[in-house]
Amino acid sequence: MSSKRALITGITGQDGAYLAQLLLQKGYSVHGLVRRSSHAGVFDHRLKWLGCAADVRLHDGNLLDLSSILRLVQEVQPDEVYNLAAQSFVTASWQQPLLTGQITGLGAVNILESVRTICPQARFYQASSSEMFGLIQETVQSENTPFYPRSPYGVAKLYAHWMTINYRESFGLHASNGILFNHESPLRGVEFVTRKVTDGVARIKLGMAKELRLGNIDAKRDWGHARDYVKAMWLMLQQDQPDDYVVATGRTTTVRAMCEIAFRHVGLNIDDHLVIDPALFRPAEVDVLLGNPAKAQSVLGWQPETPLEAMIEEMVTADLERLRRAV
Ligand code: NAP
Ligand code: F7E
């Protein structure tokens, strides 16, 4: 077992919770950054769902506040730092482009600066994103595909991505980017399309709703499971050399086909309930994403383990249980 200390920003989010669980299983002492909220009782609901809230040490601070990050890094003296905090919802990034740039872009530099200043020997992971490929320049995207972001979120992530590479090359930090394609789970925020679908289907099944309203169902995504993807994050920081890796399944599916899996799982017909709402279309769309995980497979020995069908069914089942408990 390890006696390493890990610091996770974004520990209250989907990936932060799964990563905390993985690192605790490996014997790490896990520390997390939490921003102050008036929702005191619910901010750690994902960690509680995974049964690890009591085992992590949470620290107040904000990625926007360099002084709080400096103090946190000084106090924790981490061996590994995972920067998962972000304004991560693409739709919101058109409404709040400046805040998205500050958190998702500049926020990464606050933590890079803190690591460089206080513990330059620590290993650093940056949560980069397939959204940076945006208007795709190659049918299958790899580490060598040129970027063309299509949202303020994608642009902010690209800035953080290149700053991570620059800190690696300028200051010798062990800093790696994981270019992760979409990954989901029962802990996914309900604003993202998979969870919106599984929650919506569960509500229809239980008689709590009649329809599910979606935007562009022709968009295609390469969807994997968050539980599998956090393993790739950890593996990147176990390598002798820092590097950048695409993490994906190598399979792409339309939003409509993903929805059909969810409806089929509870014995409902999608065409009886799905409503297309033009208000939910985006100012600019990323039409299709399809990643090539060959480098992660060969160098890290990483494999996606959960097929889309199994993941969507797990999510529908979890939403049915959650909603039944709530009534
Ligand atoms: P998420 O569920 O939206 O979690 C985001 C986390 O960031 C939350 O813990 C949130 O805290 C925190 N945060 C936001 N602003 C902050 C601030 N100013 N200071 C401190 N913490 C702040 O995202 P996720 O799906 O777990 O994704 C994790 C990371 O991977 C993100 O950087 C995301 O952009 C990136 N990514 C995700 C995917 C994906 O498909 N899931 C793919 C590629 C990259 P609160 O709980 O207080 O809101
Ligand atoms: O949309 C379409 C939408 O919001 C997927 C984030 O984790 O992955 C995520 O970004 C697709 C898009 O994820 C609705 O237009 C149709 O084409 O689930 P999403 P995203 O935008 O791909 C990347 C890799 C990240 O890094 C991000 O942080 O689904 N879509 N109808 C819809 N999407 C939503 N949210 N809601 C709808 O009603």
Side-chain angles (χ1 to χ4, degrees):
M1 293 291 263
S2 165
S3 58
K4 285 186 192 164
R5 275 187 305 278
L7 173 60
I8 304 174
T9 74
I11 195 167
T12 55
Q14 170 189 258
D15 291 7
Y18 278 106
L19 180 64
Q21 183 187 47
L22 177 76
L23 296 179
L24 286 168
Q25 285 164 357
K26 291 185 181 298
Y28 281 63
S29 146
V30 176
H31 298 254
L33 168 70
V34 178
R35 57 178 168 169
R36 198 256 154 200
S37 150
S38 61
H39 301 280
V42 294
F43 72 92
D44 58 352
H45 68 99
R46 293 186 171 97
L47 292 161
K48 284 183 176 145
W49 201 81
L50 291 176
C52 51
D55 300 322
V56 297
R57 272 206 56 201
L58 301 177
H59 305 257
D60 283 339
N62 195 304
L63 203 60
L64 295 177
D65 184 282
L66 176 61
S67 63
S68 69
I69 304 300
L70 282 166
R71 269 197 303 277
L72 174 60
V73 171
Q74 179 69 42
E75 185 186 338
V76 174
Q77 293 288 332
D79 300 292
E80 296 176 8
V81 177
Y82 296 85
N83 182 38
L84 308 186
Q87 190 305 94
S88 75
F89 187 37
V90 172
T91 302
S93 78
W94 279 286
Q95 304 307 324
Q96 300 172 36
L98 299 174
L99 184 71
T100 302
Q102 283 160 357
I103 301 175
T104 307
L106 284 170
V109 186
N110 280 339
I111 183 103
L112 278 164
E113 268 297 289
S114 305
V115 170
R116 171 195 166 200
T117 309
I118 294 167
C119 55
Q121 75 295 340
R123 297 185 173 193
F124 179 85
Y125 173 86
Q126 168 60 21
S128 282
S129 167
S130 56
E131 272 294 303
M132 302 185 309
F133 294 122
L135 185 61
I136 54 167
Q137 304 294 296
E138 281 183 311
T139 313
V140 184
Q141 299 90 55
S142 74
E143 295 79 6
N144 302 319
T145 303
F147 298 116
Y148 194 134
R150 293 268 278 173
S151 64
Y153 169 80
V155 174
K157 278 287 178 194
L158 191 52
Y159 172 77
H161 179 86
W162 277 109
M163 287 304 272
T164 301
I165 293 172
N166 271 263
Y167 272 61
R168 178 165 83 213
E169 295 178 353
S170 307
F171 306 122
L173 291 195
H174 190 296
S176 297
N177 287 298
I179 308 172
L180 270 53
F181 283 60
N182 300 53
H183 46 281
E184 322 290 315
S185 74
L187 298 183
R188 186 61 143 150
V190 79
E191 66 273 34
F192 299 95
V193 75
T194 53
R195 181 76 202 294
K196 181 175 176 182
V197 166
T198 62
D199 176 73
V201 165
R203 283 173 193 276
I204 294 169
K205 182 66 182 174
L206 296 176
M208 299 163 78
K210 287 197 168 11
E211 62 180 33
L212 173 64
R213 302 182 83 82
L214 293 179
N216 177 16
I217 58 168
D218 297 324
K220 296 173 93 173
R221 288 293 183 273
D222 180 331
W223 279 295
H225 199 302
R227 188 176 49 222
D228 298 343
Y229 283 36
V230 299
K231 292 180 189 160
M233 298 177 186
W234 176 76
L235 283 166
M236 284 175 217
L237 298 204
Q238 309 318 305
Q239 305 307 305
D240 288 341
Q241 298 303 323
D243 207 343
D244 306 322
Y245 298 88
V246 159
V247 178
T249 69
R251 168 190 173 194
T252 192
T253 309
T254 61
V255 171
R256 183 183 168 90
M258 178 272 293
C259 271
E260 283 168 352
I261 299 169
F263 277 102
R264 210 166 36 237
H265 185 54
V266 295
L268 293 173
N269 184 348
I270 185 172
D271 295 318
D272 295 337
H273 303 283
L274 182 60
V275 176
I276 301 303
D277 183 345
L280 295 170
F281 281 66
R282 296 176 175 187
E285 181 59 283
V286 172
D287 294 318
V288 54
L289 289 172
L290 173 59
N292 175 1
K295 180 175 171 185
Q297 288 172 338
S298 65
V299 179
L300 304 178
W302 177 84
Q303 289 288 348
E305 289 165 31
T306 317
L308 178 64
E309 288 75 7
M311 180 180 75
I312 294 298
E313 290 171 10
E314 178 192 347
M315 292 171 67
V316 173
T317 302
D319 277 319
L320 283 168
E321 281 171 16
R322 236 185 303 238
L323 290 166
R324 283 191 184 113
R325 267 203 313 272
V327 288

